[in-house]
Every structure is written in C-alpha cells, then in structure tokens.
Amino acid sequence: MRYAIKALGVSTALAVTCLAGSAATAAASPAQPEGLYAPSALVLTVGKGEDPATATVLRAATLSCSPAPGGTHPAPAEACGELRSADGEFASLVEPGDQMCPMVWDPVTVTADGVWEGRRVSYAHTFSNACAMADAAPALFSF
C-alpha cells in the first residue's frame, strides 16, 4: 500500500510539473491564428443623381467576402462571386449586358468603398437609369 501511495504521489508531481511547464510555454508564446486571409469588406450604395458626392443615397448595404460571404447584402455569396469573377475590378462589372433598357436619362450612381482582398478600394459609377444598373451588375448592386 505504501508503494502504491508513493507511486501515486510521484506521478501526481510529474503531472503537475508537466502542466506548469506547458502553461508557462503557452503564456510565453501567444496563440497564432490558424489561417490568414486578406480581408474583403465593402460598403455599397445606390443613389439618385449624377455625382457621387451629391447623389441622394437611396439604399446602402455592407458586403463582407472574406473569410466568408456576409453582411447586410441580401445575396452576399452571389455578390462576392461577381466580384471574384471580375478579379475585384469594379469597372469590368459595369459593362452593359444583353438586356434591352429604355433610353431614358434618370441617373443612378453606385459606390463601393472599403477593402477588397487586403487593398483599399473606392469606386463610383453613374448609370443612365436603374435598368442599365441592373443589367451591368445583377447581384452586386441589387439590394
């Protein structure tokens, strides 16, 4: 019985020493993140008018694409997909599609400000009307 108690005491002492050593190691080196990603978070607006500085903002949404699609945008996965397919180049997203739109001048200005894959972006574009805007970037500015 004495040998069993002595063995138990030795093993307890070893366990305490090991735990104290690993706690000291953990305190000495801060936890590293498991994976790094370039942040992508944008504030998108749709406004009435020609000039982004003076356009009346009708709607606004936030869009976060990294680490996962999210934000207040109603379709973040689709919007992030459009941006990824355009390699973050907003100008390539505003090219007219194949939808027929009326030739009415009722300017709509869209803006995107924030960070895309770790780099600061600020973009604005004025469409002739809401139909032309929906034709160019169906998911990104549909909110």
Side-chain angles (χ1 to χ4, degrees):
M1 181 81 163
R2 212 174 3 173
Y3 294 110
I5 293 172
K6 200 181 248 184
L8 186 58
V10 170
S11 64
T12 303
L14 284 173
V16 168
T17 304
C18 289
L19 287 175
S22 58
T25 304
S29 63
Q32 297 294 320
E34 289 187 19
L36 296 176
Y37 62 90
S40 293
L42 302 165
V43 175
L44 308 170
T45 65
V46 175
K48 187 89 168 144
E50 295 180 44
D51 184 14
T54 60
T56 302
V57 176
L58 302 174
R59 300 181 301 275
T62 59
L63 178 66
S64 176
C65 294
S66 290
T72 62
H73 195 287
E78 291 83 3
C80 290
E82 274 186 4
L83 277 170
R84 283 191 188 102
S85 69
D87 210 19
E89 295 297 324
F90 291 90
S92 67
L93 288 175
V94 297
E95 295 173 2
D98 55 358
Q99 182 176 343
M100 295 292 288
C101 289
M103 296 189 67
V104 175
W105 183 250
D106 189 16
V108 176
T109 299
V110 297
T111 64
D113 291 294
V115 178
W116 175 255
E117 294 185 348
R119 71 180 193 272
R120 175 82 176 91
V121 294
S122 183
Y123 177 78
H125 183 80
T126 301
F127 294 95
S128 59
N129 55 47
C131 177
M133 177 192 73
D135 184 38
L140 186 61
F141 294 106
S142 295
F143 51 88

